[in-house]
Amino acid sequence: MATPVTTGPASGSASTPNVRTRRGTELFMLVFSAVIVTGAIMIVEINQEQTVTRQLLYYGLAFLALFGGAHLAVRKFAPYADPLILPLVSLVNGLGLVMLHRLDLAEVTGSPFTGKQIFFSTVGVLMFVLVLAFLKDHRVLARYGYTCGFAGLILLALPGLLPSSISEINGAKLWISIGGMSIQPGEFAKILLMIFFASFLVSKRELFTAAGKRFLGVDFPRARDLGPVLLAWFLSIGIVVLEKDLGTSLLFFGIVLVMIYIATERAVWVFLGLSMFAVGCVLAFNLFSHVQVRVNTWLDPLAELPNDPGYQLRTGLFGMTYGGIPGTGLGNGRPDLTPWAASDFIISAIGEELGLVGLMALFMLYLLLMTRGLRTALAVRDSFGKLFAGGLSFTIALQLFVVAGGVTGLIPMTGLTAPFMAYGGSSLLANYILIAMLLRVSDAARRPQEPPKPKPKQAPIAEAHTELVERPR
């Protein structure tokens, strides 16, 4: 199905063997994704409106055209990139649009989610294309590591420093709202900070591989080498203090810790990081009332607390219990009874209407996406690309774990949203930029190496031409 592409010099010199780019496979999977999304919308319409219109076919064709454009961009700018990453993203994004459309039909709010999310998806795909077009080589990002780190810190701290009137929503200071438009800078800050830490760890790798004192059979790092981990720890605590955001704090510290482990392959860094995180959790619980509310709600969502903070978690759990293993079917449940079902609790809505089976299938899509990203990190040849691709892949995995763990009661609620599914423009745009960068690294990993240029043959001494060298006067 994919067209073999031959690279290398013309006849008369060595050339690389035929390499399949598998862009045809990618196109086929995108068509398959559009069929699934269109079929899901039809099921929702049948169960909610008792009718099927030709307009649904146009929705499916528009969805295919949107990601067909993304496919053409990958074919032109990153022809050797992994062929499954874009179809997986398109399917997850499409299922999110289906659930948002289902919530719109239930008249959750007066402002429909679907239209805005389609707009955000279109802009996200456009940003995806622009990143692929202008970022020719991912290694260029390493040159601007410190600049990206400084910009990421500014974006991360900015909402916490602004007045609550333009930065606080639902008790968390994560936004910048001006003129009816809202943006969440932290979503873009995580990518900038990953660039910084990847470039920093590559250049300062010896700081983390050198062992210090040996204690209980474990070689601990030297005290002077703990600076980056301590900085990440203090920043995580600062996020909790200034912005009241547990999710971003956990995500940021987890990314730093995993990237250090990938760079050093020393489990002691994981042990130290988790120990520091546990200490930070104890301090945050004893110092901040909003952390106490989250933890108490997690421990007992049925408890009678002021303003009933456990209502959201309780209704989400009841909804998934009502769906059971097979689910109620798309359009047959009542996910609209759960507050913020379009954003924080969209996993609960999926679990209610598609059941445990559908939820596991969704998690499998995310797992495949993460696996393909980690495979890219293993295959790429440069150290910066390995760290960067590993960080990008782990970001998706950790974010999904935090979201799914929160709505199922495994961990306290954090306020993060499911990547590519939940309603929200900032998250969607940042994640499409993330996927574009991951595909750029994947293209470098799967691109065949250029054959070495043949060395010019030196003539034998007996056949060498005589050269007259004039002595300078």
Side-chain angles (χ1 to χ4, degrees):
M1 185 174 298
T3 303
V5 176
T6 302
T7 59
S11 60
S13 61
S15 61
T16 59
N18 291 343
V19 178
R20 292 184 177 273
T21 62
R22 304 191 70 84
R23 299 274 66 86
T25 302
E26 180 182 78
L27 181 59
F28 174 79
M29 297 299 293
L30 287 173
V31 173
F32 183 63
S33 171
V35 171
I36 294 178
V37 172
T38 306
I41 295 178
M42 291 178 61
I43 295 174
V44 170
E45 289 284 343
I46 291 173
N47 289 329
Q48 283 287 307
E49 303 295 329
Q50 308 299 321
T51 183
V52 176
T53 62
R54 187 179 298 178
Q55 190 176 9
L56 297 180
L57 179 60
Y58 299 148
Y59 288 155
L61 293 176
F63 180 84
L64 180 59
L66 176 63
F67 286 96
H71 163 75
L72 292 177
V74 175
R75 182 181 288 269
K76 178 177 177 58
F77 300 115
Y80 294 96
D82 191 294
L84 292 183
I85 291 179
L86 182 60
L88 288 169
V89 169
S90 70
L91 183 55
V92 174
N93 193 0
L95 292 177
L97 289 172
V98 170
M99 183 51 62
L100 293 179
H101 178 60
R102 188 262 174 274
L103 293 172
D104 283 342
L105 293 178
E107 298 181 356
V108 176
T109 63
S111 177
F113 298 113
T114 312
K116 294 181 179 179
Q117 192 74 347
I118 290 175
F119 172 76
F120 293 144
S121 299
T122 305
V123 177
V125 172
L126 179 61
M127 295 294 295
F128 170 90
V129 173
L130 291 177
V131 171
L132 284 181
F134 289 98
L135 182 62
K136 303 295 184 182
D137 189 344
H138 65 276
R139 293 172 294 183
V140 175
L141 298 174
R143 304 176 187 173
Y144 306 97
Y146 286 93
T147 303
C148 291
F150 181 70
L153 290 178
I154 292 178
L155 290 177
L156 198 62
L158 190 58
L161 302 176
L162 293 175
S164 299
S165 58
I166 62 173
S167 63
E168 184 172 343
I169 298 178
N170 298 323
K173 300 185 66 176
L174 306 175
W175 305 85
I176 298 177
S177 302
I178 300 176
M181 296 293 293
S182 299
I183 188 172
Q184 192 172 351
E187 292 289 343
F188 304 94
K190 65 185 180 184
I191 300 178
L192 294 173
L193 290 172
M194 274 190 285
I195 296 173
F196 164 71
F197 274 101
S199 62
F200 177 81
L201 289 172
V202 168
S203 61
K204 305 293 182 181
R205 188 173 182 270
E206 66 277 2
L207 296 180
F208 300 91
T209 54
K213 294 184 178 180
R214 190 175 182 85
F215 180 70
L216 297 178
V218 179
D219 292 326
F220 284 88
R222 298 173 298 183
R224 63 177 179 269
D225 299 336
L226 293 174
V229 179
L230 292 175
L231 176 62
W233 185 75
F234 281 117
L235 286 175
S236 300
I237 298 298
I239 293 170
V240 175
V241 175
L242 292 177
E243 302 181 0
K244 301 180 181 179
D245 181 21
L246 301 178
T248 302
S249 174
L250 175 60
L251 183 65
F252 173 70
F253 190 76
I255 291 172
V256 174
L257 193 60
V258 166
M259 293 183 73
I260 292 178
Y261 174 72
I262 294 174
T264 62
E265 299 182 2
R266 297 186 63 198
V268 65
W269 286 104
V270 179
F271 171 76
L272 287 175
L274 292 178
S275 301
M276 294 171 61
F277 180 75
V279 172
C281 289
V282 173
L283 291 176
F285 179 79
N286 289 291
L287 295 177
F288 308 120
S289 59
H290 63 278
V291 177
Q292 296 176 6
V293 171
R294 292 284 182 93
V295 174
N296 291 330
T297 301
W298 166 58
L299 293 175
D300 188 4
L302 300 178
E304 295 183 1
L305 298 176
N307 301 322
D308 196 10
Y311 177 76
Q312 186 180 28
L313 176 60
R314 188 164 61 246
T315 52
L317 292 173
F318 286 159
M320 288 188 289
T321 302
Y322 178 61
I325 293 178
T328 61
L330 285 172
N332 289 328
R334 291 301 307 274
D336 52 291
L337 296 179
T338 303
W340 302 101
S343 53
D344 295 10
F345 275 74
I346 197 168
I347 295 292
S348 296
I350 294 288
E352 178 177 348
E353 299 208 333
L354 295 182
L356 180 63
V357 175
L359 203 55
M360 291 300 102
L362 176 64
F363 291 163
M364 185 62 67
L365 294 177
Y366 279 111
L367 179 61
L368 287 173
L369 180 59
M370 180 196 68
T371 302
R372 303 303 290 195
L374 291 178
R375 183 177 178 180
T376 294
L378 291 173
V380 74
R381 302 174 184 93
D382 62 289
S383 299
F384 173 78
K386 289 182 180 294
L387 283 175
F388 190 43
L392 294 175
S393 305
F394 180 77
T395 299
I396 298 174
L398 180 59
Q399 195 166 340
L400 177 66
F401 169 78
V402 172
V403 172
V407 300
T408 57
L410 180 64
I411 61 175
M413 284 296 302
T414 59
L416 291 180
T417 56
F420 300 106
M421 282 202 72
Y423 174 75
S426 299
S427 175
L428 203 56
L429 294 180
N431 284 321
Y432 269 110
I433 294 174
L434 182 152
I435 291 298
M437 292 182 173
L438 186 59
L439 285 180
R440 173 54 64 203
V441 181
S442 177
D443 177 70
R446 300 176 76 245
R447 183 181 295 273
Q449 289 183 314
E450 293 291 336
K453 296 181 179 180
K455 296 182 179 180
K457 295 182 179 180
Q458 186 174 2
I461 297 178
E463 301 178 4
H465 298 285
T466 301
E467 296 183 6
L468 178 61
V469 179
E470 183 179 356
R471 179 179 298 178
R473 295 178 182 178

